[in-house]
């Protein structure tokens, strides 16, 4: 049983790639029109913009092909990379349970710690403040946004997390 990596779908990068592709086709069309009509201005502008959009298309294609990890489930805990304010590594020692919740009309998995004070002491200042704010707003201390998970439903991710937590609890407690 190794690491389970749940990937994130990247719709923005795909849309950007398609936009650059369409603009590249349009620039090439302008260059061809300039060649056919024998207008050097159209030809020059078409070639220059085609080069620019070709570079942009290649950049967007590289960005779209990069795999982004949303959540990694290891033997010792989970690594949250779901958002800018992601917590990072959370040990199974600190986790009591997982629940599916809806935050801001999106599915998320709530991580409920065993002892909030011990959990907070292990976090950095910024993340500690974020967890305290969540508790103050009656939100789960840690919420892993799983609405963008690639080929997985929140229930599938929850069952994987619960299985690993129970396996860890049986082995080390």
């Amino acid at each position: 049983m190794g690491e389970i990596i749940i990937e994130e779908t990247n719709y923005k990068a795909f849309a950007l790639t398609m936009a650059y592709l369409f603009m590249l086709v349009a620039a090439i069309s302008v260059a061809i029109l300039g060649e056919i009509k024998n207008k050097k201005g159209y030809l020059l502008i078409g070639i220059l913009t085609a080069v620019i959009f070709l570079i942009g298309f290649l950049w967007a294609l590289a960005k779209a092909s990069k795999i982004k990890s949303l959540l990694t489930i290891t033997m010792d805990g989970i690594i949250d990379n779901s958002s800018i304010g992601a917590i990072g590594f959370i040990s199974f020692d600190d986790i009591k349970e997982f629940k599916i919740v809806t935050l801001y009309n999106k599915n998320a998995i709530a991580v409920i710690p065993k002892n909030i004070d011990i959990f907070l002491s292990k976090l950095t200042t910024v993340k500690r403040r974020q967890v305290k704010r969540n508790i103050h707003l009656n939100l789960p201390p840690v919420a892993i946004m799983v609405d963008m998970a690639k080929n997985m439903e929140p229930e599938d991710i929850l069952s994987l997390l619960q299985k690993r937590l129970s396996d860890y609890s049986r082995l080390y407690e």
Side-chain angles (χ1 to χ4, degrees), residues 93-143:
D93 282 335
D94 300 328
I95 300 172
K96 178 181 172 185
E97 66 178 326
F98 298 101
K99 293 180 182 177
I100 293 180
V101 295
T102 303
L103 297 174
Y104 314 113
N105 295 326
K106 294 181 181 180
N107 287 329
I109 294 181
V111 179
I112 311 300
K114 290 178 184 174
N115 186 333
I116 194 70
D117 296 326
I118 295 172
F119 179 70
L120 285 173
S121 68
K122 294 180 181 180
L123 297 176
T124 63
T125 307
V126 174
K127 292 178 183 178
R128 187 178 311 131
R129 217 175 300 147
Q130 177 184 352
V131 169
K132 285 182 180 180
R133 185 200 71 214
N134 286 350
I135 293 170
H136 180 69
L137 294 173
N138 293 327
L139 297 173
V142 178

Side-chain angles (χ1 to χ4, degrees), residues 2 5 16 22 39 56 61 68 78 153-154 156-157:
I5 299 173
L16 189 63
F22 291 136
K39 293 190 177 188
L61 190 63
K68 185 170 185 243
I78 59 175
E153 294 296 319
D156 301 333
I157 298 169

Side-chain angles (χ1 to χ4, degrees), residues 54-78:
L54 178 64
I55 292 169
F57 173 72
L58 293 175
W59 170 78
L61 190 63
K63 190 174 180 179
S65 64
K66 190 188 310 182
I67 296 172
K68 185 170 185 243
S69 170
L70 180 75
L71 180 69
T72 304
I73 306 169
T74 65
M75 290 300 297
D76 299 321
I78 59 175

